[in-house]
Amino acid sequence: MQSSNSNEVENYEVRKLEISDKSKGFIELLQQLTVCNSVSDQEFRDRFQELSLCGDDHVVCVIEDDHSGKIVATGSVFIEKKFIRNCSKVGHIEDVVVDSNARGLQLGKKVVTYLTDHAHSMGCYKVILDCSVDNREFYEKCGFKQKELQMAKYFI
Amino acid sequence: MQSSNSNEVENYEVRKLEISDKSKGFIELLQQLTVCNSVSDQEFRDRFQELSLCGDDHVVCVIEDDHSGKIVATGSVFIEKKFIRNCSKVGHIEDVVVDSNARGLQLGKKVVTYLTDHAHSMGCYKVILDCSVDNREFYEKCGFKQKELQMAKYFI
């Protein structure tokens, strides 16, 4: 019989987004992060295919709870190709969210580590993200340091 | 005979990066922004072609001084495809720099406006960028507002 601890590890592995994850609550999870209206199956498939064309340059990862069959954490990273630093690359982490019912299991850290490792393996010289003041401490625990200010201009 | 003012406007139009811009000081201009070691013609061509494959999803723009034939300003924007906000998009502005000898001509604003308009035309719901505290006022004049914190993790 396995210990509760090893069960936890086995039940929460990070993997890439699959097209079947829409029916496992992926969109509902994103709604905990920000505005995310209902997406039709066709819209989801189209966007999934578009991102697939980018291959390893744009990865969306998820954690599925093996017991409930629900997606309980997600995040994405895309690889920007630059001319600076001898034509180097930068990883941009976006849309990290953990289900409010699955907090305290270090799933956020797992997701960020997965995305960071991916950026590193793709030859990026750094990985960056934007976060609220409230989330700064979490990302510091993930090895990030505050650098600049994020500025935004909205069209809607 | 044209006035000095209309000459200024004509001499500083924003256009997309061309492969011949390497010989017009494009890399030397980026060196004013950050670390940018010398790039071989082959490395430049390879990166240029990679970015070209992204089409309108990744645009590098420049301003060439018609008198000197030198690139005096540049910036880039790439379009991130998301699932949030009904599968919306976000424009990311990067690597904006104006030649230190061409300051005061509003070239930075021209570049940022060009990149912002491109993101808008691509259907983005917002455009974002990261900047130092020193550059916040410039971007506020371009219509941006401070939103979040940028966090970074370096691999080198």
Side-chain angles (χ1 to χ4, degrees), chain B residues 80-135:
Chain B
E80 179 207 0
K81 291 163 184 167
K82 288 179 174 284
F83 287 102
I84 63 163
R85 291 185 180 253
N86 210 27
C87 295
S88 193
K89 300 176 190 175
V90 168
H92 295 250
I93 291 179
E94 294 278 337
D95 300 341
V96 174
V97 59
V98 175
D99 188 332
S100 56
N101 295 316
R103 300 275 159 86
L105 299 168
Q106 308 262 359
L107 303 190
K109 197 170 183 182
K110 274 193 175 187
V111 164
V112 172
T113 300
Y114 180 94
L115 299 172
T116 301
D117 289 349
H118 178 73
H120 196 180
S121 75
M122 290 291 289
C124 294
Y125 78 91
K126 69 174 179 181
V127 62
I128 60 175
L129 57 87
D130 299 312
C131 73
S132 65
V133 173
D134 287 348
N135 286 330

Side-chain angles (χ1 to χ4, degrees), chain A:
Chain A
M1 185 178 157
Q2 290 177 308
S3 74
S4 147
N5 190 39
S6 75
N7 266 337
E8 265 184 20
V9 172
E10 281 177 25
N11 291 337
Y12 297 108
E13 278 183 18
V14 188
R15 61 164 170 80
K16 289 185 184 175
L17 179 72
E18 296 169 2
I19 206 149
S20 58
D21 290 333
K22 181 169 184 293
S23 64
K24 296 178 179 177
F26 174 68
I27 298 297
E28 291 74 12
L29 177 63
L30 287 177
Q31 287 169 350
Q32 294 184 35
L33 177 71
T34 182
V35 180
C36 188
N37 303 334
S38 66
V39 172
S40 73
D41 287 351
Q42 186 63 50
E43 288 168 331
F44 182 81
R45 256 196 312 270
D46 289 348
R47 178 52 36 102
F48 184 90
Q49 299 294 358
E50 274 184 293
L51 294 179
S52 298
L53 291 174
C54 301
D56 286 334
D57 285 337
H58 195 139
V59 166
V60 181
C61 75
V62 296
I63 296 179
E64 178 178 345
D65 180 337
D66 284 347
H67 283 144
S68 69
K70 291 284 177 190
I71 305 300
V72 290
T74 183
S76 70
V77 65
F78 58 87
I79 311 299
E80 179 205 1
K81 290 163 185 168
K82 288 180 173 283
F83 287 102
I84 63 165
R85 291 186 181 249
N86 209 26
C87 294
S88 192
K89 301 177 189 174
V90 169
H92 295 251
I93 290 178
E94 293 278 338
D95 300 341
V96 174
V97 58
V98 175
D99 189 331
S100 57
N101 294 316
R103 301 275 159 85
L105 298 168
Q106 308 262 357
L107 303 190
K109 197 169 183 183
K110 274 193 175 188
V111 163
V112 172
T113 301
Y114 180 94
L115 299 171
T116 301
D117 289 350
H118 178 73
H120 196 180
S121 75
M122 290 292 288
C124 295
Y125 78 91
K126 69 174 178 182
V127 61
I128 60 174
L129 57 88
D130 298 313
C131 73
S132 64
V133 173
D134 287 348
N135 285 330
R136 178 172 52 191
E137 197 178 318
F138 164 70
Y139 285 109
E140 284 171 346
K141 284 180 186 162
C142 294
F144 286 73
K145 287 188 177 157
Q146 188 182 340
K147 290 292 287 184
E148 298 201 304
L149 307 176
Q150 185 218 34
M151 309 289 289
K153 184 173 186 171
Y154 284 76
F155 300 124
I156 52 172

Side-chain angles (χ1 to χ4, degrees), chain B residues 25-129:
Chain B
F26 174 69
I27 298 296
E28 291 74 12
L29 177 61
L30 287 177
Q31 286 169 350
Q32 294 184 35
L33 176 71
T34 183
V35 179
C36 188
N37 303 334
S38 66
V39 172
S40 74
D41 287 351
Q42 187 62 48
E43 287 167 330
F44 183 81
R45 254 197 313 271
D46 289 348
R47 177 53 36 102
F48 184 91
Q49 299 294 359
E50 274 185 293
L51 294 178
S52 298
L53 291 175
C54 301
D56 285 335
D57 286 337
H58 196 139
V59 166
V60 181
C61 75
V62 297
I63 296 179
E64 177 178 347
D65 180 337
D66 284 349
H67 284 144
S68 68
K70 290 284 178 191
I71 304 300
V72 289
T74 184
S76 70
V77 65
F78 59 85
I79 311 299
E80 179 207 0
K81 291 163 184 167
K82 288 179 174 284
F83 287 102
I84 63 163
R85 291 185 180 253
N86 210 27
C87 295
S88 193
K89 300 176 190 175
V90 168
H92 295 250
I93 291 179
E94 294 278 337
D95 300 341
V96 174
V97 59
V98 175
D99 188 332
S100 56
N101 295 316
R103 300 275 159 86
L105 299 168
Q106 308 262 359
L107 303 190
K109 197 170 183 182
K110 274 193 175 187
V111 164
V112 172
T113 300
Y114 180 94
L115 299 172
T116 301
D117 289 349
H118 178 73
H120 196 180
S121 75
M122 290 291 289
C124 294
Y125 78 91
K126 69 174 179 181
V127 62
I128 60 175
L129 57 87

